[in-house]
Amino acid sequence: MYIKVKRFIDIILSFIGLIILSPIFLILIVAIKLDSKGPVLFKQKRVGIHKTHFNILKFRTMKINTPKDTPTHLLRNPDQYITRVGKFLRKTSLDELPQIWNIFVGQMSIIGPRPALWNQYDLIAERDKYGANDIRPGLTGWAQINGRDELPIEVKAKLDGEYVEKLSLGMDIKCFFGTIINVLKSDGVVEGGTGSISKSEVASSRESISK
């Protein structure tokens, strides 16, 4: 039952977001075009509900010569590829704003597991164990407020499964406000590596957020 309510909430909030944030979209579009050559939007094939594929939308934060279909944290010296405006967009998570359209058309949800790259087979396989591939991926989710880029794949997938198990309005509200806090603190963003947070630190973080 909540899945239908969740989709209705996604449609309403994403529609409102597209209207209210349109001036910010315009400012960012101009800034990106003035900063570097290339398109304003970055499209990348990601895994959606039931492991279908879709193109996720982001504001472009990297130069056009960046290797494709490679997570940023797996690039050697990723800073060399990130534009000046891109650094600001990533730090503030404003690069994710175009995904409001992905939400509006039903490819994503506001809250859910972050969509894996089509070639992140290990993460996709781990999520299969918990049924995390059978719901719409999200703009943010339970794993994002419990470690984000720092999480090892098996821990990230387990947290995604925990979200699926506890799927409810209360859980979504907790993820939403937890995301706002993390963005303000710039927590969990790792450009050059992954898996640097220990499982004990993850457990500690989850315990503090759950209180």
Side-chain angles (χ1 to χ4, degrees):
M1 177 62 182
Y2 176 62
I3 293 294
K4 293 182 179 179
V5 175
K6 181 179 173 71
R7 178 61 192 141
F8 178 74
I9 293 173
D10 284 339
I11 293 172
I12 297 300
L13 292 184
S14 60
F15 179 72
I16 293 173
L18 287 170
I19 295 174
I20 293 178
L21 296 174
S22 56
I24 296 178
F25 274 73
L26 181 59
I27 292 170
L28 295 179
I29 288 170
V30 173
I32 292 168
K33 291 300 291 184
L34 291 176
D35 183 48
S36 62
K37 295 180 180 180
V40 170
L41 292 178
F42 170 70
K43 299 180 182 180
Q44 190 176 57
K45 187 163 70 171
R46 297 288 184 112
V47 178
I49 187 172
H50 303 312
K51 293 187 283 189
T52 56
H53 291 159
F54 72 100
N55 286 322
I56 197 172
L57 301 177
K58 292 187 178 187
F59 281 125
R60 182 176 58 83
T61 61
M62 308 189 84
K63 299 173 183 177
I64 57 176
N65 63 337
T66 304
K68 296 181 179 180
D69 293 328
T70 301
T72 305
H73 63 265
L74 294 182
L75 292 171
R76 180 173 295 180
N77 187 20
D79 283 339
Q80 67 177 310
Y81 298 108
I82 302 174
T83 65
R84 288 172 298 178
V85 171
K87 289 180 181 179
F88 169 76
L89 293 176
R90 284 172 171 251
K91 185 176 182 180
T92 57
S93 294
L94 289 174
D95 60 315
E96 310 283 358
L97 283 182
Q99 288 162 51
I100 295 175
W101 178 255
N102 290 121
I103 295 169
F104 182 69
V105 299
Q107 296 167 331
M108 292 177 60
S109 179
I110 296 173
I111 308 296
R114 280 297 295 167
L117 279 166
W118 67 273
N119 58 358
Q120 286 182 293
Y121 304 116
D122 47 358
L123 176 58
I124 297 168
E126 280 294 315
R127 283 177 170 172
D128 266 338
K129 298 177 182 179
Y130 304 103
N133 291 316
D134 296 327
I135 62 173
R136 285 186 179 87
L139 181 64
T140 185
W142 188 234
Q144 276 56 55
I145 67 172
N146 283 286
R148 205 168 171 177
D149 294 335
E150 296 176 335
L151 294 174
I153 284 174
E154 65 273 13
V155 177
K156 183 182 293 185
K158 190 170 184 179
L159 286 168
D160 290 334
E162 188 175 318
Y163 170 77
V164 174
E165 183 181 347
K166 299 179 179 179
L167 185 60
S168 64
L169 178 61
M171 186 65 160
D172 280 357
I173 291 174
K174 184 180 292 187
C175 290
F176 182 81
F177 285 104
T179 298
I180 293 175
I181 293 171
N182 280 6
V183 168
L184 292 175
K185 294 167 59 179
S186 295
D187 276 357
V189 180
V190 180
E191 298 296 0
T194 187
S196 61
I197 189 170
S198 67
K199 293 183 180 181
S200 61
E201 288 175 300
V202 172
S204 176
S205 174
R206 289 173 56 194
E207 183 179 353
S208 64
I209 291 172
S210 299
K211 290 180 179 177

